[in-house]
Amino acid sequence: MVSFILRRILVSILILIAASFLMYMLVAYSSDPLANLRSSSSPNKDRLIADLVSRLQLDVPPPLRWGLWLGGAAKCLIPFANSCDLGSTISNAQVTDILPQALLSTVQLVTLALILAIVFGIMIGIVTALRQYSGLDNTVTFISFFLYSLPAFLVAVLLKEFIAIGFNNFLRDPVVSWFWILLIGIVVGAIWQSLIGGEARRRLIVFAISGAGTAVLIWLMSATGWFEKPGIGPVGMVVLIAAIAIGATALMAGLQNRKALITAGINAVIAIASYFAMQPLFAISSIGTLIILGIVALIVGLVSGYLVGGYDRGQNLRVGAVTAVLSSALILVDRAMQAWPTYLGDVNNRPIATIGSSTPNLGGDVWVTGIDSFTHLALPTVALLLISFASYTRYSRAGLLEVMNQDYIRTARAKGLPERTVVIRHAFRNMLIPLTTLVAFDVGALLGGAIITERVFGIPGMGNLFSSALGPGDINPVMGYFLVIAAMAILFNFLADLAYASLDPRVRVR
Amino acid sequence: MRIKQRTVRSAVSAVAIAGIAALALAACTTSGNAPQSTAAQGGKVTVAVVNDFTSFNNQTPQANLDTNGQVGYLDGSYGTGFQYIDNNYKIVHDDKFGTFKKVSDNPMTVKYTLNKDDKWSDGQPVTADDMVLAWAIASGHYDDATIDPGTGKVTTGTQYFSIAASTAGIDATAYPTVGDNNTSITLVYSTPYVDWELVNPIAQPAHIVAKKAGLSSAADLTKLLKGLPKGDPAKPVAPNATLLKAAAFVNTGYDVTAFPTDKDLLVASGPFVVSSWTPGQSLTMVRNKYYAGGLKPNVDTIVFRFIGDANAQVTALQNGEVDIINPQASADTLNALKNTGATVLAGDQASYDHLDLTFSQSGVFSDKAVRQAFLKTIPRQQILDSIVTPVNPKAKVLNSQIFLPNQSEYAASVKGNGSSAYDKVDIAGAKALLAGKTPTVTLMYNTKNPNRVDEFQAIQASATQAGFKIVDAGSPDWSKKLGDGTYDAVLFGWISPGAGTSALPQIFGPVGSGGNYNNYGGTGKLAVSTQTMTNPSDVVKAENQIDKQTFTDAYGLPLFQLPGIFGVSTNVTGVKYMGNQNGPFWNFWEWSVKKATK
Amino acid sequence: MTIDNTPIVADEAVVPEKAPESEGRLILRRFLGNKFAVASIVIVILIIAFSISAIGIGPIPGWWKYGFKALNPQVNAGNPTISLVPQWLGGKGISLGDHPFGQDRIGKDYFAMVMRGIQNSALVMVVLGGIASFVGVVVGAIAGYFRGVIDAILMRITDVFIVIPALVIGSVVGHWVGGLGAPLLAIMLGFFSWMGIARLVRGEFLSLREREFVEAARVAGASDRRIIFKHILPNAIGVVIVSSTLIMATAILLETALSFLGYGIQAPDVSLGGLISSNESAFQTRPWLFWWPGFFIVTLALLVNFVGDGLRDAFDPRHRRFKLRAMREQIPEPAEEAKL
């Protein structure tokens, strides 16, 4: 294992060096950092050109300049010496100074998009596979191909025009018209009936109930000014937490499993109790508090699952943890909603942002800044995740269909296991195996996509750094960008291999 | 029983964990109370700019960028102080900050006197020490370096302050005389300097620079400067270590990649000081409470938001995230802004596109008749109508190589410069001049600039009718080829400085001047002589003469000024159009916010 | 988990077992049975043929009266003159008018520009896909067939290219040759897009070369070249066709993204991506400048994706729509570093 990792690292470094040479030559020979100065009418143009030439060593031929750059970059490998030298930009900023800030923004954006794309992609993939060739399946298939064929910046622009500006305009007078209430009701009803399935009569009932329920809910929200002062409220919280507990049990253990139901129930009760008890603490919370509370919730879930025991402790632990964590998340959402009116006041009632990753000079507590991050990152994240969401849906659907045709699934069914157990415990894990490889490739695509998303949404990340530096031929930031991106691509490939090996017992790393 | 034991043990450890968690929780809470808004109160204006901020000193070669300059304009390190330039490119004196006037023509002598109340934003008074430092930086007085033009490296001697601007003009001054209880300096020019009125001896705070150089006070720095001899590249002397330290701080010490922890960098003499900066996102400036000059702002806070994508600026204005934008001008942007109810200010930028012909012995344009014939085919009105008019319906074809239409000298110059010969496309006239010849013209332009591409296509279509063969020499690398003789004509843009004449000897100077890519020698002497004129009317006369000469020689044609637009949210009033690099910021003190944004 | 590909050998030395008709015909029949994919490919070809016939290609003129570079006087303030609402519905009748798609700001005919954009997108698609497939097949075949040191070297070279995301290398290449015309841009981008195919082909070769029919050919004294091209490659052709189709779909989007960043096909030539990104500001005021090219980009990319999907079904009917084996071959290392 150790020798495998060492070999991989060595090979990776050699690959990085070769790729950096390729990149450096392409950039150096394709761009001219002096172009702007050459066409200037400044009286001391020659002096300015000479100054830039000497600062960026433009008089050294590119292959040699690459050598100099590599020498500086190699110092990054010396641990703790802090002697990294990636050169400076045209405006004399050290690349090592600007890179970390940019990296943080991008990692935040890409990680969020990646996780959401994987979670939603797999969920929808599973659902469509289980309802193969249904209306839902065909619709989702078409939509995912359609998303796959949309240029990234088109999506970004449309999101800004319609979602951001449209939603903010809606908030000026937040009354949902009857047309929209009906439309949303019909769409939601259609989705539910397709999900539940069954014969025509049952579908029709599901459609009517879910559609009407949704429509009434939206009408109520609209009529009570919920969009200005959103919140779930104590009753809503109790109902929703109970739903989480029952849902988690039903999905993971089956409702007939008493032990699991008890675990989920305990966690739901604790969650409801802490919802009421914790409000004063939330008012003075910092981000650290919330992280600790999250960890405590996880521990409580696991401990309660363990204490309840039963023949399948592992399952109990999972049910407990999932119930606890999801309920806590719901409590956080409710608390954040309480800060929403304050936030609306801070941003002149136009919450959804089109630019940047935070409102300048916004004070306020963790809830207000949290909402601020959400309203700024929501659209870019959606724009980015749509790039890869489609492929996760397609691959997980195909993967599950493939797995479901395998002999061991037939065996499991023949044993009389319920369909839920077959899917969740036998098929799911095996379906994930090929997806690990997709994740590694997808990270590269997302990082590339971030170039466009960051530009459209004005987020000061790596992509922005790259595209704004490449134009004027500012080679050092471009190379700094390359270094980080390439290292990440290699790292994720490596992680994918490890994940592959851990999921697939037939693969062993030597 | 066993189970019970285990349960007890688990319970104990659960309690322990809970205790630790509670402790950690207590450590991680904020002192805050009920949620309430802490957003800025009072007048705040948010302006979208394209580039990020990189330095508090925008006068160095590496930091001479638009956003740095605008921040400098607001904090008084550049462009404001004794004077500023208004939207008609006139120099306006700010007598409340200090006065300056020419006291003698021979030798040219200019005296600057500060207002007694002028203070830096840290409360220290602004004194003659600060002016002496600014003079030392701008004049290059102490430099004795010889610089290798090829590599830009200093071969002998020392280069102290490195500045983006040229030292030409100010380098002819001797060490200034300090007077009036250390609040005035007098500069004596050994040769007259035409643009003396643009010299502004306020830049970095001397007490901060002195501190960074290891001196105890601004007066010590002045003493040091006074004692040092004028530099002479022919006889370099050993560098002065203290001045070198001071220069190093001024040159690169102000370059930043994050909001500085060293508050000394923020000290400014202007109406605003930088109060926070999130790289890549926004920069906030608040009022300088010590400011005593005449540019007293109405608003409390000005926020710069960095938005690189021009279209994103428009959406941000529509969404209320910014109040003022200066996007790329297009009819579509204009209409989109109008539709959302924003105020749209349209005007001309200080830069203009022009067509230049190459004068060389062997080239197709060595014959004046061919030059004239070619210029007669240029469809200037058509180009204007397609590129500029949709944005600015009042725009007219630019008819002067020297002046811009909103300068008072423009009308008179146009009347006499002979530009009327090229008012209309005259295919018949061009054919007559060509007398049956079909010259081949290689026309270069920047393919990455859509305006130039459109100009090229229009010119090609028109000139072909007169019998010219136009070779498309468009290239993204056009700037490398400037002046290399591979083309006969070129389309590109100059940025007119508006005020000042420093570009004259560059563009219209003798063959070989930095910006004379045409090999044109018709106005060389005259253009150089403008730099030492003392009487403004002489300068105008010379400029008129250059303007006329270029048309007589069929030097080329100015085409149009680029249109510019500002979008202003209805909340903000007082914004006026300005075409130079300061853009909307030029009259920031006149801005006001209608209703205070909460 | 092997694939039920029966070997197809050109010289009929081995007759496919249990197959009344050849594999190739079978696949073709399966593909033709997929109405959706067939319709897609027909529409793609029609769109491209329409664009070529409309404004011509090279020196050959088309039937449309305006060129994509010619300046025309503004008609109807640049609004589209196309009318699709028949008179009996209260419209102006079905007619094209002078400038069916409208005009840009200097009066160029937008229909001609969009047609030119389609031509260029098709060019980028075909050239990029062709070059990437060719290089990929050659590299992958050599690496997979010869294994050992050659394989190691070629795969390390592939890794060098693959660590840079497509859009990044595309931007740099576009920055370099974007101004030199669409064909060169397409060719250069092709030379930086072959890595995926190379890995797939290598994977196929690694497994196919161990099969009996290859052994038989080798015993019969066939040269390496003959084995690679006549015996193994025809069996791996499914992977190549499917993935080069999918590369073509991404090629359209890649060019669009590059145009948005300013590194795509440069004016005065036209690309669909360039048209949308240069008219982004027209989104609210003259939406047709935005939607016509946008419509064709999405349509082309969508249809080509459908074709690729249909081909995948045809080549591999057992794994309806998706070929997991091929995907699994994409992992870079396990083939040597990890043991199956």
Side-chain angles (χ1 to χ4, degrees):
Chain A
M1 185 71 182
V2 174
S3 87
F4 165 72
I5 292 175
L6 283 180
R7 239 178 328 133
R8 273 295 283 266
I9 290 176
L10 191 70
V11 171
S12 302
I13 289 176
L14 291 178
I15 288 172
L16 262 183
I17 292 175
S20 79
F21 180 75
L22 180 78
M23 189 80 180
Y24 202 97
M25 290 304 110
L26 281 173
V27 178
Y29 281 111
S30 68
S31 55
D32 176 16
L34 299 174
N36 271 335
L37 287 174
R38 278 212 193 84
S39 56
S40 106
S41 62
S42 162
N44 56 338
K45 191 175 76 177
D46 296 338
R47 176 78 196 80
L48 295 178
I49 290 180
D51 178 79
L52 192 57
V53 166
S54 91
R55 269 196 294 121
L56 296 182
Q57 297 174 302
L58 297 177
D59 47 343
V60 179
L64 294 180
R65 226 180 329 138
W66 170 75
L68 294 175
W69 176 84
L70 190 66
K75 290 187 203 148
C76 300
L77 291 176
I78 308 169
F80 310 117
N82 212 5
S83 56
C84 222
D85 178 15
L86 296 176
S88 62
T89 66
I90 288 182
S91 56
N92 200 30
Q94 287 295 313
V95 172
T96 44
D97 287 342
I98 54 178
L99 212 52
Q101 306 167 351
L103 184 64
L104 199 69
S105 293
T106 301
V107 166
Q108 194 182 7
L109 187 66
V110 167
T111 319
L112 203 60
L114 183 70
I115 292 172
L116 290 177
I118 293 175
V119 170
F120 285 109
I122 291 180
M123 259 165 54
I124 292 179
I126 291 175
V127 169
T128 49
L130 295 180
R131 295 276 173 274
Q132 203 185 0
Y133 301 131
S134 66
L136 184 76
D137 180 30
N138 288 334
T139 315
V140 169
T141 301
F142 183 80
I143 290 178
S144 56
F145 269 104
F146 184 71
L147 292 179
Y148 210 63
S149 312
L150 277 180
F153 80 90
L154 197 71
V155 177
V157 169
L158 296 184
L159 281 175
K160 270 165 86 161
E161 294 285 347
F162 293 118
I163 306 292
I165 297 194
F167 182 73
N168 288 341
N169 286 344
F170 161 75
L171 276 188
R172 270 198 307 227
D173 181 22
V175 175
V176 188
S177 71
W178 281 107
F179 171 77
W180 283 104
I181 291 181
L182 282 179
L183 190 72
I184 294 171
I186 290 171
V187 169
V188 172
I191 292 174
W192 275 109
Q193 63 84 14
S194 195
L195 271 180
I196 305 281
E199 83 281 21
R201 208 179 112 84
R202 187 171 141 183
R203 279 165 179 259
L204 205 64
I205 292 170
V206 170
F207 173 80
I209 291 176
S210 59
T214 311
V216 168
L217 190 66
I218 291 178
W219 177 78
L220 272 176
M221 286 159 92
S222 166
T224 54
W226 190 86
F227 294 102
E228 285 154 319
K229 269 184 171 315
I232 299 174
V235 181
M237 287 303 288
V238 171
V239 172
L240 284 178
I241 290 177
I244 287 176
I246 294 170
T249 318
L251 204 61
M252 296 165 70
L255 283 177
Q256 70 283 10
N257 185 332
R258 294 288 295 275
K259 291 280 183 187
L261 200 57
I262 290 171
T263 312
I266 291 174
N267 280 292
V269 170
I270 295 176
I272 292 168
S274 22
Y275 164 69
F276 291 107
M278 295 273 192
Q279 291 298 333
L281 178 64
F282 285 147
I284 51 165
S285 286
S286 72
I287 191 77
T289 327
L290 300 183
I291 292 173
I292 292 173
L293 286 178
I295 295 169
V296 170
L298 182 68
I299 293 171
V300 167
L302 290 175
V303 168
S304 62
Y306 184 84
L307 292 183
V308 170
Y311 69 94
D312 191 350
R313 263 214 169 107
Q315 193 178 56
N316 262 351
L317 288 179
R318 285 198 294 274
V319 170
V322 166
T323 314
V325 168
L326 286 183
S327 311
S328 321
L330 194 67
I331 294 173
L332 287 193
V333 169
D334 175 75
R335 181 57 187 83
M337 280 179 172
Q338 292 175 32
W340 182 254
T342 315
Y343 181 71
L344 275 188
D346 287 345
V347 294
N348 293 320
N349 286 321
R350 297 195 74 84
I352 305 291
T354 62
I355 281 297
S357 52
S358 63
T359 304
N361 312 312
L362 180 82
D365 55 14
V366 63
W367 305 103
V368 170
T369 49
I371 295 178
D372 190 53
S373 295
F374 169 76
T375 56
H376 280 82
L377 288 179
L379 292 189
T381 308
V382 169
L384 201 52
L385 81 86
L386 287 186
I387 297 174
S388 49
F389 166 74
S391 45
Y392 285 110
T393 321
R394 304 296 302 143
Y395 278 95
S396 55
R397 176 182 178 277
L400 191 61
L401 287 180
E402 153 114 10
V403 170
M404 295 297 271
N405 284 329
Q406 301 286 322
D407 293 341
Y408 58 84
I409 297 289
R410 214 168 299 149
T411 314
R413 282 199 180 124
K415 276 198 298 193
L417 289 179
E419 188 67 13
R420 183 189 50 72
T421 317
V422 173
V423 173
I424 300 284
R425 303 201 78 168
H426 291 78
F428 184 63
R429 185 186 154 105
N430 288 300
M431 182 199 91
L432 290 180
I433 296 173
L435 283 177
T436 53
T437 329
L438 185 64
V439 174
F441 274 81
D442 194 47
V443 168
L446 282 177
L447 288 171
I451 297 176
I452 288 180
T453 312
E454 285 176 6
R455 187 170 153 144
V456 177
F457 288 102
I459 293 171
M462 301 285 291
N464 223 335
L465 182 75
F466 169 75
S467 62
S468 61
L470 182 62
D474 204 351
I475 194 164
N476 287 327
V478 171
M479 292 308 294
Y481 169 81
F482 156 80
L483 207 58
V484 173
I485 294 295
M488 275 169 94
I490 289 175
L491 178 72
F492 271 90
N493 254 312
F494 178 63
L495 292 180
D497 286 357
L498 291 186
Y500 197 102
S502 72
L503 282 169
D504 191 340
R506 290 168 299 177
V507 178
R508 287 274 169 273
V509 282
R510 270 192 306 189
Chain B
M1 195 61 203
R2 232 182 85 234
I3 294 171
K4 206 173 179 186
Q5 267 178 1
R6 204 193 277 171
T7 318
V8 171
R9 219 181 308 140
S10 312
V12 170
S13 42
V15 169
I17 291 171
I20 294 165
L23 280 177
L25 270 180
C28 274
T29 51
T30 59
S31 57
N33 34 32
Q36 64 171 216
S37 165
T38 46
Q41 303 289 317
K44 177 181 81 177
V45 175
T46 308
V47 188
V49 294
V50 170
N51 295 310
D52 201 355
F53 177 72
T54 69
S55 175
F56 288 94
N57 176 10
N58 77 312
Q59 285 302 289
T60 59
Q62 76 274 11
N64 189 15
L65 305 165
D66 50 3
T67 303
N68 297 340
Q70 288 160 346
V71 171
Y73 189 74
L74 265 61
D75 78 10
S77 67
Y78 167 73
T80 48
F82 281 95
Q83 74 280 74
Y84 66 92
I85 296 171
D86 75 0
N87 56 347
N88 290 318
Y89 306 111
K90 283 267 174 265
I91 299 164
V92 182
H93 293 219
D94 177 10
D95 290 337
K96 275 197 176 163
F97 184 84
T99 55
F100 71 110
K101 57 175 185 282
K102 188 159 69 172
V103 289
S104 158
D105 259 339
N106 193 15
M108 185 191 261
T109 309
V110 185
K111 186 177 179 189
Y112 295 84
T113 312
L114 285 164
N115 174 351
K116 302 266 183 302
D117 298 331
D118 284 337
K119 284 198 179 76
W120 293 97
S121 59
D122 59 354
Q124 297 288 322
V126 182
T127 63
D129 298 324
D130 298 306
M131 297 201 281
V132 169
L133 173 65
W135 164 82
I137 295 171
S139 64
H141 189 76
Y142 302 101
D143 296 345
D144 53 12
T146 311
I147 291 160
D148 177 24
T151 60
K153 293 200 169 77
V154 174
T155 49
T156 58
T158 320
Q159 164 93 20
Y160 290 101
F161 297 100
S162 76
I163 53 170
S166 158
T167 57
I170 317 174
D171 57 358
T173 51
Y175 184 84
T177 320
V178 175
D180 296 317
N181 199 13
N182 208 26
T183 59
S184 80
I185 61 164
T186 309
L187 289 177
V188 180
Y189 292 83
S190 57
T191 50
Y193 178 41
V194 62
D195 288 335
W196 64 271
E197 227 184 332
L198 283 171
V199 176
N200 178 23
I202 284 292
Q204 279 69 39
H207 63 281
I208 300 292
V209 176
K211 185 170 145 193
K212 301 289 172 185
L215 297 170
S216 58
S217 72
D220 287 354
L221 182 63
T222 310
K223 210 184 287 169
L224 170 78
L225 291 173
K226 194 170 185 182
L228 287 175
K230 181 177 167 60
D232 180 2
K235 281 177 274 174
V237 295
N240 179 292
T242 313
L243 184 57
L244 218 48
K245 229 168 152 186
F249 171 68
V250 173
N251 291 345
T252 57
Y254 281 101
D255 295 354
V256 285
T257 52
F259 189 65
T261 46
D262 178 3
K263 296 292 169 265
D264 286 345
L265 298 189
L266 307 177
V267 175
S269 64
F272 281 97
V273 282
V274 176
S275 69
S276 75
W277 173 43
T278 317
Q281 299 254 4
S282 64
L283 178 137
T284 307
M285 297 185 85
V286 295
R287 268 171 194 267
N288 171 6
K289 58 182 174 188
Y290 293 104
Y291 180 70
L295 312 180
K296 279 251 184 228
N298 296 323
V299 297
D300 289 342
T301 312
I302 291 181
V303 180
F304 291 64
R305 287 209 81 171
F306 311 118
I307 306 179
D309 189 54
N311 294 310
Q313 291 196 358
V314 179
T315 359
L317 180 75
Q318 289 172 339
N319 201 26
E321 287 167 88
V322 295
D323 298 314
I324 302 176
I325 60 170
N326 181 6
Q328 238 163 14
S330 80
D332 296 308
T333 309
L334 187 82
N335 290 332
L337 286 174
K338 277 185 180 158
N339 289 348
T340 53
T343 318
V344 183
L345 306 170
D348 299 315
Q349 289 183 38
S351 55
Y352 60 98
D353 276 19
H354 54 97
L355 169 77
D356 287 0
L357 309 183
T358 304
F359 288 67
S360 63
Q361 292 301 316
S362 51
V364 58
F365 287 133
S366 55
D367 180 359
K368 184 173 168 185
V370 179
R371 294 202 297 269
Q372 286 174 327
F374 186 62
L375 297 188
K376 276 182 187 299
T377 65
I378 308 301
R380 295 199 294 162
Q381 188 64 43
Q382 183 199 337
I383 292 171
L384 182 88
D385 285 345
S386 57
I387 297 174
V388 187
T389 314
V391 181
N392 182 5
K394 285 177 279 181
K396 292 205 174 76
V397 167
L398 185 63
N399 272 323
S400 165
Q401 298 274 13
I402 310 280
F403 300 111
L404 296 177
N406 54 351
Q407 286 175 293
S408 53
E409 300 88 347
Y410 178 80
S413 189
V414 168
K415 225 175 254 170
N417 67 7
S419 57
S420 54
Y422 306 108
D423 265 357
K424 291 202 177 73
V425 176
D426 180 5
I427 301 292
K431 274 188 177 154
L433 280 166
L434 284 177
K437 283 183 283 187
T438 56
T440 304
V441 175
T442 311
L443 181 50
M444 181 168 87
Y445 60 97
N446 177 5
T447 45
K448 292 209 168 181
N449 183 326
N451 285 344
R452 307 272 157 73
V453 176
D454 291 350
E455 287 159 28
F456 171 79
Q457 292 185 340
I459 291 173
Q460 187 183 37
S462 170
T464 312
Q465 292 173 27
F468 284 99
K469 288 199 189 79
I470 307 293
V471 177
D472 181 348
S475 156
D477 290 331
W478 64 285
S479 74
K480 271 185 197 167
K481 299 180 181 166
L482 277 175
D484 72 352
T486 55
Y487 58 90
D488 302 312
V490 59
L491 283 165
F492 69 109
W494 284 130
I495 297 170
S496 165
T501 61
S502 63
L504 281 180
Q506 282 297 304
I507 303 176
F508 302 103
V511 174
S513 303
N516 183 352
Y517 299 116
N518 313 33
N519 260 340
Y520 175 64
T523 54
K525 265 191 195 158
L526 196 59
V528 173
S529 74
T530 54
Q531 295 302 291
T532 52
M533 291 177 174
T534 52
N535 190 341
S537 66
D538 289 347
V539 179
V540 174
K541 216 181 279 172
E543 287 177 321
N544 282 337
Q545 228 170 319
I546 294 173
D547 205 6
K548 185 170 181 184
Q549 191 63 41
T550 52
F551 278 99
T552 315
D553 292 339
Y555 163 91
L557 283 178
L559 298 175
F560 59 85
Q561 270 180 286
L562 286 172
I565 52 176
F566 297 169
V568 184
S569 103
T570 42
N571 273 349
V572 177
T573 53
V575 181
K576 288 190 190 131
Y577 185 80
M578 167 61 145
N580 80 358
Q581 74 282 356
N582 286 328
F585 290 100
W586 80 271
N587 68 340
F588 61 87
W589 57 91
E590 290 175 12
W591 297 353
S592 58
V593 179
K594 261 187 200 159
K595 61 170 193 277
T597 41
K598 202 194 135 191
Chain C
M1 215 190 74
T2 52
I3 188 169
D4 56 347
N5 265 356
T6 39
I8 338 152
V9 180
D11 52 6
E12 315 256 322
V14 182
V15 178
E17 41 205 313
K18 289 189 282 176
E21 55 185 331
S22 82
E23 178 89 11
R25 272 169 175 274
L26 194 66
I27 290 166
L28 188 67
R29 207 161 53 89
R30 265 192 237 129
F31 181 75
L32 290 180
N34 186 338
K35 296 279 180 304
F36 214 44
V38 173
S40 298
I41 201 167
V42 169
I43 298 173
V44 168
I45 291 171
L46 281 181
I47 289 179
I48 295 172
F50 181 72
S51 74
I52 292 174
S53 77
I55 56 161
I57 191 164
I60 309 158
W63 50 263
W64 183 241
K65 50 195 163 181
Y66 303 112
F68 70 97
K69 280 184 189 172
L71 308 182
N72 312 297
Q74 295 274 359
V75 174
N76 195 11
N79 288 338
T81 56
I82 193 170
S83 160
L84 293 175
V85 186
Q87 259 153 358
W88 51 270
L89 272 175
K92 290 184 195 146
I94 297 173
S95 67
L96 282 180
D98 237 12
H99 299 287
F101 288 8
Q103 285 170 294
D104 80 344
R105 61 173 185 169
I106 62 168
K108 286 187 272 189
D109 179 58
Y110 211 58
F111 175 75
M113 292 175 84
V114 170
M115 291 301 122
R116 175 66 178 184
I118 295 173
Q119 285 185 7
N120 274 335
S121 286
L123 177 89
V124 169
M125 183 174 100
V126 172
V127 171
L128 191 158
I131 290 185
S133 309
F134 179 76
V135 178
V137 166
V138 170
V139 171
I142 293 176
Y145 182 78
F146 291 105
R147 298 192 297 189
V149 182
I150 296 178
D151 180 29
I153 292 173
L154 285 177
M155 281 302 108
R156 290 300 82 79
I157 293 176
T158 314
D159 287 344
V160 167
F161 280 83
I162 220 162
V163 293
I164 314 173
L167 193 56
V168 174
I169 195 85
S171 304
V172 176
V173 169
H175 187 52
W176 178 30
V177 298
L180 306 177
L184 192 61
L185 179 71
I187 291 171
M188 290 311 300
L189 287 179
F191 279 112
F192 288 97
S193 314
W194 49 268
M195 294 77 74
I197 294 186
R199 284 187 166 175
L200 289 176
V201 171
R202 169 180 171 271
E204 289 288 299
F205 268 62
L206 279 177
S207 69
L208 287 173
R209 77 187 297 283
E210 307 298 339
R211 300 272 289 270
E212 297 83 355
F213 67 92
V214 175
E215 199 52 43
R218 206 173 282 138
V219 170
S223 67
D224 284 341
R225 229 178 87 175
R226 189 175 174 81
I227 295 175
I228 290 177
F229 289 107
K230 290 274 179 183
H231 296 267
I232 304 184
L233 193 56
N235 286 294
I237 204 74
V239 174
V240 175
I241 291 181
V242 171
S243 48
S244 48
T245 316
L246 294 178
I247 276 200
M248 287 184 186
T250 46
I252 300 178
L253 298 178
L254 178 64
E255 197 281 327
T256 309
L258 291 183
S259 289
F260 173 73
L261 294 173
Y263 305 126
I265 293 168
Q266 300 287 340
D269 208 342
V270 172
S271 74
L272 291 178
L275 286 180
I276 326 186
S277 58
S278 63
N279 289 308
E280 195 193 325
S281 63
F283 181 76
Q284 294 169 335
T285 48
R286 292 187 292 170
W288 60 91
L289 293 182
F290 190 79
W291 288 117
W292 284 120
F295 169 76
F296 281 105
I297 287 181
V298 176
T299 310
L300 281 177
L302 190 58
L303 294 179
V304 175
N305 268 325
F306 282 145
V307 173
D309 199 43
L311 285 170
R312 192 155 30 190
D313 278 358
F315 277 105
D316 193 4
R318 221 191 55 168
H319 310 139
R320 291 285 301 169
R321 286 173 190 265
F322 276 87
K323 186 155 188 184
L324 288 159
R325 219 176 88 77
M327 250 183 59
R328 215 168 274 178
E329 295 294 348
Q330 286 186 340
I331 20 169
E333 302 304 335
E336 325 131 60
E337 311 285 354
K339 202 175 187 181
L340 279 175

